Amino acid sequence: VILLLGSLGMVPATQAASFDCSKATRNIEKTICANSTLSEADSKLAQVYQQALTISPDPAALKKSQLKWLNERDSCDIQQYCLLQAYQD
């Protein structure tokens, strides 16, 4: 995940969240959609993650790491500062 987060700058910055905000039901999803910085970070991370999956020698380990990160991110719930930190760490 650190590799993925460190690579966020490689993706264009003109994008929305990695999921359909019109279908957001969870508070964390709504918080990400309502904040352009979080939305952009989510989109960038999703793109870098997909790129990393295609070149990873161990995609299963990468998926496990991503699920762990998602659980940590989700523990932020609607706390925007916590979410920003999660995407920046």
Side-chain angles (χ1 to χ4, degrees), residues 30-79:
K30 292 175 184 179
T31 300
I32 291 169
C33 290
N35 181 302
S36 62
T37 302
L38 289 172
S39 182
E40 182 179 320
D42 186 74
S43 180
K44 286 179 181 181
L45 181 57
Q47 288 183 5
V48 171
Y49 174 69
Q50 289 303 317
Q51 292 170 354
L53 277 176
T54 64
I55 61 172
S56 175
D58 190 354
L62 183 59
K63 288 178 184 179
K64 184 177 178 180
S65 177
Q66 180 68 356
L67 288 174
K68 180 181 179 216
W69 178 84
L70 283 169
N71 285 329
E72 291 170 4
R73 182 208 64 183
D74 288 357
S75 72
C76 292
D77 195 31
I78 62 170
Q79 300 173 47

